[in-house]
């Protein structure tokens, strides 16, 4: 079984949102329990997704959006010019969805736990969840701005969606399920 994700304590909106995120993280990471390195890399559906790759992707997504909450226009995501990406840039992006030769499932799970701690700390230190930043321009977005609250909800949604993907992949691999 995987090490448990950081649980939050307290009451109020921040605690509720962080608790929801912690639960989604737990479902995602639990899906990888007692999994071999080979199975962490194995595609079990027609998609390119693997369990190790999903953990790695969700870690990167959480870090990017947490950076956006804290740094807004100065975040790495806001400074990325997606229109200038090269084939090599897209290849590096694709590597974010799979375990590379020098990576292990234990390593990406540990990195995921570290990202969880970073996000929790950043959100707990926020003075106001209404603090908003302009969204970076992306090929898939329509501009506007998001509050820290909306960005945190997006992190929860992304994590929950990928936890569902992970459950399907795991069940296809060996019949194990997160729930049920």
């Amino acid at each position: 079984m995987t090490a448990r994700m950081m649980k939050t304590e307290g009451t109020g909106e921040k605690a509720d949102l962080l608790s929801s995120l912690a639960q989604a993280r737990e479902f995602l990471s639990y899906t990888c329990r007692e999994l071999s390195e080979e199975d962490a890399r194995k595609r079990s559906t027609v998609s390119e997704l693997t369990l190790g790759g999903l953990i790695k992707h969700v870690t990167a997504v959480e870090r990017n959006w947490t950076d956006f909450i804290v740094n807004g226009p100065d975040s790495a995501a806001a400074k990325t010019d997606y229109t200038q990406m090269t084939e090599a840039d897209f290849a590096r992006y694709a590597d974010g969805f799979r375990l590379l030769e020098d990576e292990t499932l234990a390593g990406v799970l540990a990195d995921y736990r570290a990202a969880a701690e970073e996000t929790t700390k950043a959100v707990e230190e926020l003075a106001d969840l209404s603090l908003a930043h302009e969204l970076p321009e992306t090929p898939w977005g329509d501009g506007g701005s998001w509050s820290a609250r909306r960005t945190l909800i997006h992190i929860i949604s992304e994590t929950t969606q990928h936890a569902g993907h992970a459950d399907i992949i795991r069940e296809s691999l060996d019949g194990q399920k997160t729930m049920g």
Side-chain angles (χ1 to χ4, degrees):
M1 184 176 300
T2 61
R4 297 193 58 86
M5 290 300 221
M6 183 175 171
K7 297 292 183 186
T8 57
E9 311 242 342
T11 60
E13 184 180 20
K14 283 183 193 178
D16 288 347
L17 289 169
L18 288 171
S19 180
S20 292
L21 181 53
Q23 183 179 33
R25 288 184 194 120
E26 187 65 29
F27 284 140
L28 177 58
S29 62
Y30 183 73
T31 306
C32 296
R33 71 197 178 282
E34 301 171 3
L35 195 67
S36 71
E37 290 296 321
E38 178 184 348
D39 283 345
R41 289 176 165 78
K42 192 179 291 179
R43 291 177 45 211
S44 64
T45 67
V46 296
S47 82
E48 294 293 324
L49 299 176
T50 66
L51 290 172
L54 278 173
I55 297 293
K56 189 174 165 182
H57 169 68
V58 173
T59 302
V61 166
E62 183 167 328
R63 280 200 170 114
N64 281 341
W65 284 113
T66 299
D67 184 32
F68 176 76
I69 288 171
V70 173
N71 297 307
D74 292 328
S75 69
K79 290 183 175 183
T80 300
D81 184 350
Y82 294 92
T83 65
Q84 298 299 313
M85 287 179 72
T86 65
E87 290 297 320
D89 294 328
F90 283 112
R92 276 190 298 280
Y93 179 76
D95 283 346
F97 288 89
R98 61 181 160 262
L99 288 181
L100 302 178
E101 290 281 325
D102 62 337
E103 296 172 323
T104 64
L105 179 59
V108 296
L109 283 167
D111 195 36
Y112 188 37
R113 284 188 296 277
E117 290 174 14
E118 294 160 13
T119 298
T120 298
K121 182 176 186 238
V123 170
E124 287 174 341
E125 291 175 353
L126 279 177
D128 183 3
L129 288 172
S130 297
L131 173 68
H133 301 296
E134 291 296 315
L135 288 167
E137 288 200 28
T138 63
W140 56 85
D142 58 359
S145 65
W146 277 3
S147 67
R149 176 184 297 103
R150 173 64 185 94
T151 307
L152 189 56
I153 291 168
H154 178 73
I155 296 170
I156 295 166
S157 297
E158 178 98 6
T159 305
T160 303
Q161 178 181 20
H162 287 312
H165 293 146
D167 208 30
I168 291 167
I169 293 168
R170 181 64 190 256
E171 190 171 359
S172 297
L173 285 172
D174 62 9
Q176 295 296 310
K177 297 184 271 187
T178 301
M179 298 177 67

